[in-house]
Amino acid sequence: MHSQRQRLPNHFITLVGITLLFVLGAHSPVHALEYFQRNHAAMGTQFHFHVHAESAQVANTALDEAISLIEAINQIASDYLPESELSRLNRAPAHQPIPLSDDLHALLTRSIEISALTEGAFDITAAYAVQNWRRARRQQQLPKPELTAKAISMTNWRALEINHHQRTLTKTQPEILIDLGGIAKGYAADAALTILRQHGITRALVAASGDLAIGDPPPGKSGWPVTLRSFAAKDSPSPDVTSEILLHNCACSTSGDLHQYLELDGKRWSHIVDPATGLGLTRRIAATLIAPDSTTADALATAACILGPQKALQLLQDRPGISFRITELDEAHPHRPHLTISGPAFKPTAQ
């Protein structure tokens, strides 16, 4: 008796075929990502791009678009370019609604929010004070008292009123000037990282000087290595001390007078201007701040230096997604810098 071969049902064959395709597909090698790096000078600093992409073509297309966007933001937010949107806004009279582009509206809105959060430690209307202090640093002498008084009188973030429905800004006080230097680079880094993600490049880091917008970690890594700098003890052979943390999908900014300062008559003045005094800080302080986005981190890192450790703890320690590390060098104890840490991103360090 001859046995007969049974024909399998068509639906069974189809099911097996799909299963084999799924199994083979699951074990097929994933196309390896290539690493690409590019630098671009903009907004008075260097932007550094670190990306992992499928090909040079994908990377270059995304990077070109990201850089074009940074340049467009500079045309909006620069106080150096005479025909930038910000420069035109600064020339506009008080008590008159001025239309805003989407980017300038976003920048001004976030700036005012952070001014309120930090009780004015971050204040984009300290523009004249910043200009006055830059001039003093170049001339190696303190500003005249009358100029400092003028700078303080022109600093008032509450004199900025935004109509969000009509997208306009009204300056309610004459002579108000705006300087976005403390937030615009972080905003541009965020915007560039968004462009990279739109092109499918999620494993990327955009660094605008000390302002980092950080995406997914590099392949096979748990995060991007970020070097933290703080003061070395007095008479140390190294000007600062470094440590490293790994970060992903967040932002990190550092501010302080580690390297930018002015010494007059034995007194050290920071390049960071306190809006309340119109002068540079005199405390030795540096802050590294981690936040969900670089726009926030950029502004709050400078604000943390102005606030000081205790006030920063009071105002920022319960903010979602915010971690910071503040190093202060007390001249009374120059051999032992004091470290203040808040948030889960930094591990406690022995004092």
Side-chain angles (χ1 to χ4, degrees), residues 33-36 49-53 193 196-197 200-206 213-224 248-249:
L33 298 178
E34 298 179 65
Y35 170 73
F36 300 93
F49 301 86
H50 304 270
V51 304
H52 293 266
L193 184 61
L196 297 178
R197 284 170 167 160
I201 301 176
T202 63
R203 300 183 185 277
L205 181 149
V206 181
I214 307 169
D216 291 342
K221 305 292 184 181
S222 60
W224 291 88
H248 65 89
N249 295 307

Side-chain angles (χ1 to χ4, degrees), residues 10-94:
N10 288 335
H11 70 272
F12 183 80
I13 296 173
T14 302
L15 179 62
V16 171
I18 293 174
T19 303
L20 285 172
L21 285 173
F22 176 79
V23 172
L24 291 173
H27 290 82
S28 61
V30 178
H31 182 70
L33 298 178
E34 298 179 65
Y35 170 73
F36 300 93
Q37 190 267 343
R38 192 189 293 188
N39 301 328
H40 180 74
M43 305 179 78
T45 190
Q46 281 284 335
F47 280 75
H48 302 280
F49 301 86
H50 304 270
V51 304
H52 293 266
E54 293 183 358
S55 67
Q57 180 179 358
V58 171
N60 288 330
T61 299
L63 289 170
D64 288 346
E65 187 173 332
I67 288 171
S68 294
L69 181 56
I70 289 171
E71 291 293 350
I73 292 171
N74 189 45
Q75 290 291 328
I76 292 168
S78 172
D79 64 338
Y80 285 96
L81 300 176
E83 292 307 314
S84 71
E85 185 179 359
L86 179 62
S87 293
R88 296 195 304 271
L89 177 62
N90 279 336
R91 292 194 297 268

Side-chain angles (χ1 to χ4, degrees), residues 6-308:
Q6 291 184 334
R7 185 173 179 176
L8 295 174
N10 288 335
H11 70 272
F12 183 80
I13 296 173
T14 302
L15 179 62
V16 171
I18 293 174
T19 303
L20 285 172
L21 285 173
F22 176 79
V23 172
L24 291 173
H27 290 82
S28 61
V30 178
H31 182 70
L33 298 178
E34 298 179 65
Y35 170 73
F36 300 93
Q37 190 267 343
R38 192 189 293 188
N39 301 328
H40 180 74
M43 305 179 78
T45 190
Q46 281 284 335
F47 280 75
H48 302 280
F49 301 86
H50 304 270
V51 304
H52 293 266
E54 293 183 358
S55 67
Q57 180 179 358
V58 171
N60 288 330
T61 299
L63 289 170
D64 288 346
E65 187 173 332
I67 288 171
S68 294
L69 181 56
I70 289 171
E71 291 293 350
I73 292 171
N74 189 45
Q75 290 291 328
I76 292 168
S78 172
D79 64 338
Y80 285 96
L81 300 176
E83 292 307 314
S84 71
E85 185 179 359
L86 179 62
S87 293
R88 296 195 304 271
L89 177 62
N90 279 336
R91 292 194 297 268
H95 309 295
Q96 177 179 318
I98 306 299
L100 303 172
S101 66
D102 289 346
D103 284 311
L104 191 55
H105 174 262
L107 274 164
L108 293 174
T109 298
R110 192 69 185 118
S111 295
I112 292 171
E113 291 171 350
I114 294 175
S115 291
L117 171 64
T118 62
E119 299 180 355
F122 177 79
D123 193 332
I124 58 174
T125 66
Y128 183 78
V130 171
Q131 295 170 8
N132 200 32
W133 189 243
R134 285 176 185 159
R135 184 166 50 249
R137 291 174 61 204
R138 288 195 303 268
Q139 297 174 351
Q140 296 286 299
Q141 62 182 13
L142 292 177
K144 294 180 180 180
E146 58 269 26
L147 294 180
T148 300
K150 180 181 178 181
I152 295 172
S153 71
M154 293 173 62
T155 301
N156 181 14
W157 63 272
R158 292 181 176 85
L160 302 177
E161 291 187 356
I162 296 181
N163 184 317
H164 296 291
H165 178 69
Q166 297 182 354
R167 292 288 178 93
T168 61
L169 174 80
T170 301
K171 298 181 286 186
T172 62
Q173 176 180 321
E175 296 188 316
I176 287 288
L177 298 175
I178 297 171
D179 181 349
L180 295 171
I183 193 171
K185 287 189 290 294
Y187 180 84
D190 281 335
L193 184 61
T194 297
I195 291 294
L196 297 178
R197 284 170 167 160
Q198 289 173 354
H199 284 267
I201 301 176
T202 63
R203 300 183 185 277
L205 181 149
V206 181
S209 187
D211 304 314
L212 312 181
I214 307 169
D216 291 342
K221 305 292 184 181
S222 60
W224 291 88
V226 176
T227 299
L228 307 177
R229 299 184 181 276
S230 59
F231 298 110
K234 190 176 181 179
D235 302 326
S236 169
S238 173
D240 48 68
V241 175
T242 63
S243 58
E244 189 177 90
I245 56 176
L246 295 175
L247 298 175
H248 65 89
N249 295 307
C250 65
C252 180
S253 291
T254 298
S255 183
D257 72 339
L258 284 173
H259 304 296
Q260 296 190 63
Y261 58 89
L262 169 66
E263 285 191 2
L264 289 175
D265 299 327
K267 192 172 186 178
R268 178 171 170 140
W269 301 80
S270 172
H271 73 290
I272 298 174
V273 175
D274 184 346
T277 66
L279 300 172
L281 299 177
T282 56
R283 64 163 62 103
R284 299 288 310 281
I285 192 167
T288 297
L289 192 134
I290 295 170
D293 59 88
S294 188
T295 307
T296 301
D298 187 5
L300 286 184
T302 301
C305 290
I306 295 169
L307 290 167

Side-chain angles (χ1 to χ4, degrees), residues 230 286 325-328 336-341 347-351:
S230 59
R325 189 188 79 157
I326 299 177
T327 308
E328 192 170 27
R336 195 178 186 187
H338 179 73
L339 193 62
T340 302
I341 292 176
K347 294 181 179 179
T349 303
Q351 301 293 304

